[in-house]
Amino acid sequence: MLGENHALFIEYPEHQERIQELKQSDNGFKQMADRYHQLDHKIRGLEGNNIPTDDRHFTQLKLERVQLKDKIYSILSH
């Protein structure tokens, strides 16, 4: 769905406390989470405002977001 919010707290509600804890105690995790948030915000902005962008650029943003999401989930699930 276009413009859907993919914030980590929405994607992983069962890990909210762990996400917050890691953002405070693990700088690498915080950087990943911050970049994920930036990408999600940018993607939603492009989708919601119908801002023209080339498909390759848009696809690259979404690919980076999903790769970060996978890395973050891997950390949360271990």
Side-chain angles (χ1 to χ4, degrees), residues 19-30:
I19 290 168
Q20 193 62 35
E21 173 188 309
L22 286 169
K23 285 175 74 174
Q24 293 175 358
S25 67
D26 184 328
N27 194 47
F29 183 88
K30 182 183 182 330

Side-chain angles (χ1 to χ4, degrees), residues 13-61:
E14 70 279 12
H15 294 291
Q16 285 186 15
E17 287 181 30
R18 180 92 170 115
I19 290 168
Q20 193 62 35
E21 173 188 309
L22 286 169
K23 285 175 74 174
Q24 293 175 358
S25 67
D26 184 328
N27 194 47
F29 183 88
K30 182 183 182 330
Q31 288 176 352
M32 277 193 292
D34 288 349
R35 178 64 180 155
Y36 179 89
H37 174 74
Q38 291 169 349
L39 285 167
D40 187 52
H41 183 75
K42 185 171 189 168
I43 291 166
R44 284 187 293 124
L46 291 170
E47 289 174 338
N49 295 315
N50 293 321
I51 297 172
T53 186
D54 87 36
D55 287 341
R56 195 169 74 143
H57 174 71
F58 191 65
T59 301
Q60 186 60 39
L61 291 174

Side-chain angles (χ1 to χ4, degrees), residues 54-70:
D54 87 36
D55 287 341
R56 195 169 74 143
H57 174 71
F58 191 65
T59 301
Q60 186 60 39
L61 291 174
K62 290 178 105 176
L63 178 62
E64 185 180 350
R65 180 178 66 181
V66 78
Q67 289 172 336
L68 276 172
K69 184 178 174 183
D70 287 346

